[in-house]
Amino acid sequence: MTSMKEQNEVLYYALIQKHLKEVFPVIYTPTEGEAIADFSRLFRRPTGCFLNIFDQDRIEEDLGRWGNPEDIDLIVVSDGEQILGIGDQGVGGILISVAKLVIYTSCAGIHPARTLPVVLDCGTDNQKFLDDELYLGLRRPRVRGERYDSFVDKFVHAALKRFPKAYLHFEDFGLDNARRILDKYTPKIACFNDDVQGTGCVTLAAVLAALHVTKTKMADLRVVMFGAGSAGTGIADQIRDAIAVESGKSAEEASKQIFCVDKPGLLLKSKSHLLTPAQIPYAFDDAAWSGEGPPPSDLLSVIRDVHPHVLIGTSTQPKAFTESIVREMAAHVDRPIIFPLSNPTRLHEADPQDLATWTDGRALVATGSPFSPVTHNGITKEIAECNNSVAFPGIGLGAILARPRRLPPSLLVAATRALAAQAPVLKDENKGLLPDVVDVREISVGIAKTVIRKAVEEGLAQADGIPDEEGELEEWIREQMWDARYRPLRLVEREQASRHARGEAGAGTVDVRA
C-alpha cells in the first residue's frame, strides 16, 4: 500500500474509498502499529517533517521546506510517546501522523497535498530503540520538563506563523502531556486531540443515540466511567460539556453526574495526591457523598450506590464487567447503556453476547472494536463500533473550511449531535448506535456543516464567502472536498505551474479541488 501511495496517489485513495471497511485495518490499526514499530528498519525515504528537540532554532526553516503559507490546511503532529496502545515508538510516530492524514483524505476529502505530517523527536524511553544502532531517532531518554514545553511551544508558534490557515491536530502524545498541551492551546488556536476529544465525541454520539431510545434527559443522566486515563477523562469531558450545554448547568455541576473509577477506586478528593489534573474535576468530596455509607471503592459497589444509566469501560481490564455488575445495573434501569471500549478485542471489559444474555436483551451496546451482531430470544441486534474515524474527519473538514479562531466545547457538542442524528438506531432499535464507517464521507459533510454553522453563529469563523442557505452550504462543502480521480493534463509554462505540478517538496495547490 505504501508503495502504491508513493507511485500513484490517486489510485491509492481510490482503492481506499471503494473498499474502506476492508482496508481500514491495513492503513490504520493493527497493521499500521506493526509498521510503526519497525519504522527504522523499513525506512525508505522521509514521509513528513522531522523536528529535533536539540535543533529548536531550525524549526521555522524545516517547516518552510514544506510549502508557502497558503499551501497547508492541516497539520498532524505526534511526539510518538503513546502510539496505538503499543507505547513509546519514538521517531516512528511520524507514521501515525501520516496514517491520520490518510484517514482525513479518505473520509473527509482533505486534499493530500495540503496536509503535513510532523514528528517531534524528543528521544525515547523504549529500551529496544535505545539499544538499536539502526534506530533513526535520538538514541537517548526522552527530554521532559521545561525544554520539552519550550520545544512544543516553538513548534506551535512556528507552524502557525508559516501556515497561518492550518488546523492543528495533536496525536498520540503521552498521558502526562496530551491533556496538558491541549488545555494550553485550546483557548488560543483551532486545535484538536483525537485521543482526548475524538474518542469523547464518538462515544458521546453513541450515548445521545441511546438516550433517544431510553427517553432519558441529559439533566438526569448518571454515568459510571471505568478507567480514567486520557481516553476515559476525554469521554467524561465531552459528556460533561453536553450536559452543561443541554441543561444550562455549570461544568462543575455537570461533572457531579459522572462517577469515575480508576486504580484508586472511585475518584475522591481525599486521594487527590494520586490523581492526574484531568481526573481532579471528577473527584467527589468524601464528606458530601450521598450514597449509603462511605464512598465505595469497587465497581460493583459504585453501580449499587449510583444506579447509572450508562457504564463505559476504558480500563483495558478484560471481562471487568462481570455478570454480577451487569445484572446489578440492569436491576435499576430499564435499558442499560453499556460500552466496553478497551482495545484490542482481548482487552474488552465484556462480550456483547454476554451483555445481551445478562440483561435479557435490554442492553444498548457499543464497543471499541468490530463485533458481529448478537442474537437473544430470536432478536438480532447490531453492535456499533466507537470508531473515531466517523467523527474527527468531519470536525477537521468543518474547521478547515470555516477557519474558526478556536474550537471550543460548543462546536464539538454540535458536531457530536450531528453524528448522533445519523445513527441507524433512530429508525430501528435493533440497528447500531452509530453509523457505519463505509458512509463516512456523507457523515463528514453533515458534521462539517454543523461545525461551520456553529462557528458562524458564535462569531468564530474567519473564512470568507460561507453561504447562509442550507443547501448552498452543503454544496459549497462538497465542492471543496478532494476526490480520488484523474484530472486532465494541461500544458503550461513552468512559471505558470503550481509548486505541486513542478514536483517541489511538500508543495500543495491553492485550489482544493485540483
Side-chain angles (χ1 to χ4, degrees), residues 14 17 134 173 235 258 314 346:
Q17 286 178 219
L134 295 180
F173 281 71
I235 293 169
I258 302 170
T314 59
R346 61 182 173 82

Side-chain angles (χ1 to χ4, degrees), residues 109 205 223 245 251 272 301 318 339 385:
V223 179
V245 169
S272 58
S301 299
F339 296 171
E385 178 190 359

Side-chain angles (χ1 to χ4, degrees), residues 213 335 352-357 359-365 372-383 425 428-432:
V213 176
R335 299 297 302 273
Q353 186 64 61
D354 289 336
L355 296 177
T357 301
T359 63
D360 195 25
R362 294 183 287 129
L364 294 161
V365 180
S372 300
V374 300
T375 301
H376 182 78
N377 288 341
I379 299 175
T380 299
K381 296 185 178 182
E382 294 180 1
I383 303 300
V425 75
D428 182 344
E429 290 191 10
N430 295 323
K431 297 292 186 181

